[in-house]
Amino acid sequence: MEAFVETGDGYRLWVETAGDDDLPPLLLIMGAGACGLGWPDALVARLARHHRVIRYDHRDTGRSTRAFHERPYAVRDLAGDAVAVLDALSVDRAHVAGMSMGGYLVQLLLLDRPERLLGAALWGTSVLGGARPDPEIRDADLPGPDPRLLAMWEQMGQERDQEAELEWRVEHWRLLNGGVLPFDAEEFRDLERRVAAHSGTWTASSAHALADQSGMERGEELARVTVPTLVVDAPEDPVAPPPHAARLARAIPSARLVTVPGLGHALGREAVPPLAEALLAHTRAAGAAGRTS
């Protein structure tokens, strides 16, 4: 089912659901600049056997309103969009899963709207700034993104014809995938073609990179989180390499750290089965804990 959700500040979000309405809801929150199609259909289908799966386009992506330059917003406002989606679908409480920037948004939801969460899962992300110092993992020692990615990001937004843009994006995905799981270039060409058709444009939005990042230095508050939380360690992630996941898991008392071998920062077909298995094991455990609490 497809629908559009009004956020209340002039933005309209595209939303799609899969799975029976009476199954426990699971909201998927994508990363910066990525629309809901970034969640592979195969992953959605696996999750939808056990959940009412909800994916949506962030503002300034996909079919959602693109108006950042007229109505600028902060990154933290995107967490409010996730709640607006739940409200519009009459979902009182849901499991949430977020990757990359979506992982930051999940952390904000854990802090500000824990009553709306059955459980949380996040990966490909880092702990919010200002977290309590960790005696074993110093923040100063956490590695930054792969230098090859940084070099590619300097080229982001350059003018290219459609074919050159497609190949640039595929090479970007190749780096994000990491060097362990097989990479199928045609799979990601197809993804980018579908995203462009869904969005009606090949122009990538820079809105999330330009959005106000204030109000995100709240890592110290994670120490009070009690919502069952899964942190997925993606050992081949070139954006937030190990030990970022371990640092995050240690900052959240209710968190459990699970490694998905070979996982990078891309969701190719080889990544789907083990990731789905980890997410479903977590939602089952979180659901059981909720029923006995």
Side-chain angles (χ1 to χ4, degrees):
M1 183 195 77
E2 296 184 39
F4 285 91
V5 167
E6 305 291 339
T7 65
D9 62 351
Y11 282 88
R12 191 167 176 252
L13 310 178
W14 175 87
V15 179
E16 181 185 68
T17 64
D20 293 340
D21 288 352
D22 58 351
L23 292 172
L26 170 57
L27 178 68
L28 304 178
I29 307 177
M30 243 302 144
C35 71
L37 296 195
W39 297 105
D41 291 346
L43 177 62
V44 171
R46 282 176 178 260
L47 298 175
R49 298 171 191 166
H50 306 275
H51 292 280
R52 181 190 184 192
V53 179
I54 306 162
R55 59 178 172 174
Y56 67 101
D57 292 343
H58 288 299
R59 52 178 74 186
D60 284 286
T61 75
R63 295 181 185 173
S64 294
T65 306
R66 295 171 182 247
F68 178 79
H69 295 291
E70 294 77 34
R71 294 192 293 279
Y73 47 82
V75 171
R76 62 184 182 276
D77 293 326
L78 300 178
D81 288 351
V83 177
V85 169
L86 296 181
D87 288 344
L89 297 180
S90 300
V91 174
D92 291 331
R93 299 179 72 203
H95 297 279
V96 295
M99 69 170 289
S100 200
M101 181 190 73
Y104 288 115
L105 302 182
V106 168
Q107 291 177 69
L108 294 179
L109 292 173
L110 284 166
L111 297 179
D112 294 332
R113 303 308 300 268
E115 78 282 0
R116 303 299 297 271
L117 306 185
L118 294 168
L122 57 167
W123 67 96
T125 192
S126 303
V127 67
L128 290 173
R132 295 178 182 178
D134 189 294
E136 294 188 20
I137 305 175
R138 296 196 321 146
D139 289 347
D141 295 334
L142 291 171
D146 187 313
R148 295 173 299 170
L149 270 180
L150 295 176
M152 284 205 77
W153 290 345
E154 290 179 358
Q155 304 167 11
M156 195 173 290
Q158 291 182 359
E159 288 192 18
R160 289 179 279 266
D161 62 40
Q162 181 175 312
E163 193 57 34
E165 176 66 18
L166 175 60
E167 293 309 311
W168 185 93
R169 294 186 188 186
V170 170
E171 288 308 305
H172 187 226
W173 281 119
R174 189 188 302 276
L175 281 178
L176 291 174
N177 189 70
V180 172
L181 293 181
F183 179 77
D184 183 348
E186 194 54 41
E187 176 186 3
F188 286 92
R189 284 192 189 93
D190 178 66
L191 169 62
E192 290 296 342
R193 291 184 183 114
R194 289 190 296 111
V195 166
H198 173 74
S199 307
T201 180
W202 279 91
T203 302
S205 172
S206 59
H208 298 163
L210 298 174
D212 177 7
Q213 297 189 30
S214 65
M216 303 288 284
E217 297 289 313
R218 301 180 59 192
E220 185 174 6
E221 299 173 52
L222 293 171
R224 61 176 170 81
V225 170
T226 60
V227 173
T229 301
L230 172 70
V231 177
V232 176
D233 181 17
E236 304 304 318
D237 187 350
V239 177
H244 278 271
R247 171 70 174 103
L248 174 57
R250 290 168 60 87
I252 302 175
S254 61
R256 186 169 59 96
L257 182 67
V258 172
T259 299
V260 174
L263 184 63
H265 205 83
L267 300 179
R269 64 171 58 92
E270 298 289 338
V272 165
L275 179 60
E277 181 180 344
L279 293 176
L280 291 172
H282 174 66
T283 59
R284 283 194 297 270
R291 288 190 294 272
T292 58
S293 62

